[in-house]
Amino acid sequence: MQMGPDTARLKPEHFIAHLFGRQNAPEFAKLFDDTLRDIAITNNEIFAVKTDGGAKMNLFDRLSQIITDHPSAMPSAAPSSTNWATSASNASSRKNTTSTPRCSNT
């Protein structure tokens, strides 16, 4: 099966199965962040997110800077390494933006 030219390219280390197998590794949050950033860099020529004004936006923020495992900083119990990705996804969806991002081919 041939994939179209606008299909995002992923490396084996980008897959959830790979990340799941490393979820208890030291510095998993950094690994998760680095993986998302590598996906964005690898596919920079295929797709981009731009504001209404045309400025390019980072596809992924470093979620480890948003999510903390310190109980007093969290509204509920601190995320364990097994639910860190769920917490990361939730934090990412709560992020405020000032412009509406649009996907476009570059």
Side-chain angles (χ1 to χ4, degrees), residues 27-34 36-37 61-69 84 87-88 91:
E27 307 231 354
F28 175 74
K30 182 180 181 326
L31 171 66
F32 190 84
D33 284 344
D34 291 346
L36 293 178
R37 297 205 25 95
D61 289 327
R62 291 201 162 275
L63 296 176
S64 60
Q65 295 174 354
I66 300 169
I67 298 172
T68 180
D69 61 357
W84 190 90
S87 298

Side-chain angles (χ1 to χ4, degrees), residues 50-86:
K50 297 181 181 180
T51 64
D52 289 336
K56 282 190 176 184
M57 294 178 60
N58 291 332
L59 292 178
F60 303 108
D61 289 327
R62 291 201 162 275
L63 296 176
S64 60
Q65 295 174 354
I66 300 169
I67 298 172
T68 180
D69 61 357
H70 192 274
S72 65
M74 296 293 291
S76 60
S80 69
S81 60
T82 57
N83 69 3
W84 190 90
T86 301

Side-chain angles (χ1 to χ4, degrees), residues 48-59 97-104:
V49 175
K50 297 181 181 180
T51 64
D52 289 336
K56 282 190 176 184
M57 294 178 60
N58 291 332
L59 292 178
T97 57
T98 57
S99 299
T100 304
R102 294 186 179 180
C103 293
S104 63

Side-chain angles (χ1 to χ4, degrees), residues 16-50:
I16 297 295
H18 175 79
L19 292 170
F20 181 81
R22 306 226 16 230
Q23 67 183 328
N24 293 318
E27 307 231 354
F28 175 74
K30 182 180 181 326
L31 171 66
F32 190 84
D33 284 344
D34 291 346
T35 299
L36 293 178
R37 297 205 25 95
D38 192 43
I39 291 169
I41 291 166
T42 300
N43 293 285
N44 191 41
E45 296 300 319
I46 297 172
F47 61 89
V49 175
K50 297 181 181 180

